[in-house]
Amino acid sequence: MLAKTPRLGADDSVSADASPVAEGIYLDNAATAPLDPAFAEAMSRVACERFGNPSSRHDLGLGAERELRLAREQVANRLGLAEGTVVFTSGATEALAIAILGCGRARRQPGHVLISAVEHAAVRETALMLTRDGHEVEETPVDSDGRVVLGELRSRLRPTTFLVAVMHVNNEVGVIQPVGRIARAVKRERPRCRVLVDMVQSFGVLETDVVALGVDMVAVSAHKIHGPKGVGALGLAPGVTVAPLWSGGGQERGNRPGTENVPGVVAFGMAAAIGKGDPERFRRYGAKLLAAIRDISPQAQPLVEERYRAPHILTVTLPGLRSEVVVNALSERGLWVSSGSACHSRRSLRSRVLIAMGVDERQGAIRLSFGRMVSDADVDQAAETLRSTLVELS
Ligand SMILES: Cc1ncc(COP(=O)(O)O)c(C=O)c1O
């Protein structure tokens, strides 16, 4: 259960009549996970007490630099990377842009980029920017579970393919891609081709060892694992370099110049060390909520087969119901879930992911996603709310 917290006014001061955040159960942790209060405290401490510029050579600067180094180690550990190959950014979108646009810029000749058909807009739209420089961007298809079809991907590799981007866990449906196998297949045929993996949804839940998986570049984000928004990182496997998008003071070894967001990065490090939560607990929660939904809507189906599904994301079809109607009805009853990707639900666009999977996207679907702050009691109450709401809507 989320506590009632006073909301800060637009001027950042706590105003007496500011409307409080409503109480409810938050099962939309794939969109963003609530900030851990301990991280907020650490951010405040670092911002106030360790405010030095990490590039300054006096005590305060060195203190801030130490904070940065510890956070880098924490993120690197979670990625199985040695310190120094983690580049802090303003989020995963920026990390992906450095990787994608950097790879494009590093080429003298136009080439070919392959992305999966279920990538987040941060990969797809950024890759499409490369077409302005004459590069070709192609999508490789997925099966009905949303998994990349390896043979199809292999058959699309060309001598000019310089980048393959496949996400680890899909944010809309939770499908896990076999990124290790994909990387091996790509490297076997095109050893110089870079493999980029968007690990935003898997980081802190699944194994994300960059070296063991054999991928070159990964992007991760703090706010999906109870850290702050606007902080992320690009992880680079040993020997992999990128061309920075801009230049400046040389921070982040020149890969992402600009004075570092030390408080945010410190909280990101703490979040990376702790992770998003226990996968086994998430599986239990998913099973309980699916059973509750099926009590009322027996035809409801998970969109992804259990063995391919990440434990913390469960998207369930609701035949005969519209997603927005269900999401709104649940929200009115204090249960916050999503109809898929947050941006799709806002703009009511057709979901590219569902289309790629061959799912009739006119049928309703809701996404339930878990994090460390969801309790057993929350899930019991959510199951009750799902039952009563579906009874009313049916
Ligand atoms: C799979 C995926 N990739 C990338 C992003 C973008 O991350 P950020 O919000 O840190 O820019 C998100 C966030 O919604 C995501 O879910």
Side-chain angles (χ1 to χ4, degrees), residues 131-163:
T131 60
R132 295 179 201 161
D133 299 327
H135 300 296
E136 206 180 316
V137 178
E138 188 181 2
E139 282 188 350
T140 192
V142 295
D143 63 18
S144 59
D145 279 304
R147 300 248 298 176
V148 167
V149 184
L150 203 52
E152 294 280 351
L153 183 144
R154 280 215 309 269
S155 71
R156 282 170 171 73
L157 289 170
R158 303 180 195 166
T160 55
T161 308
F162 65 91
L163 178 66

Side-chain angles (χ1 to χ4, degrees), residues 30-31 91-93 96 120 122 167 169 171 198 200-201 221 223-224 231:
T93 301
L96 291 163
H120 189 275
M167 70 203 314
V169 168
N171 51 302
D198 173 345
V200 168
Q201 296 291 346
S221 179
H223 73 100
K224 308 289 183 176
V231 186

Side-chain angles (χ1 to χ4, degrees), residues 199-210:
M199 285 187 169
V200 168
Q201 296 291 346
S202 58
F203 191 60
V205 182
L206 303 185
E207 189 55 64
T208 48
D209 188 313
V210 173

Side-chain angles (χ1 to χ4, degrees), residues 304-327:
V304 174
E305 207 182 300
E306 190 63 17
R307 64 189 157 134
Y308 300 136
R309 181 178 75 76
H312 57 309
I313 302 178
L314 173 68
T315 304
V316 184
T317 62
L318 293 168
L321 291 173
R322 298 229 330 262
S323 308
E324 316 87 79
V325 172
V326 182
V327 170

Side-chain angles (χ1 to χ4, degrees), residues 216-229:
D216 297 304
M217 303 178 286
V218 300
V220 291
S221 179
H223 73 100
K224 308 289 183 176
I225 54 169
H226 302 286
K229 292 168 183 62

Side-chain angles (χ1 to χ4, degrees), residues 334-394:
L335 175 58
W336 297 308
V337 306
S338 163
S339 59
S341 148
C343 34
H344 287 310
S345 40
R346 271 278 168 101
R347 286 196 244 132
S348 321
L349 288 179
R350 299 170 79 210
S351 161
R352 290 184 162 276
V353 174
L354 298 193
I355 294 170
M357 291 167 66
V359 175
D360 175 3
E361 14 81 60
R362 282 165 309 181
Q363 83 178 328
I366 56 167
R367 179 186 70 183
L368 309 164
S369 52
F370 313 117
R372 193 155 53 71
M373 298 192 190
V374 178
S375 69
D376 289 13
D378 289 340
V379 172
D380 289 343
Q381 194 178 324
E384 274 317 302
T385 307
L386 278 167
R387 278 196 199 91
S388 57
T389 308
L390 290 174
V391 166
E392 275 179 47
L393 295 178
S394 313

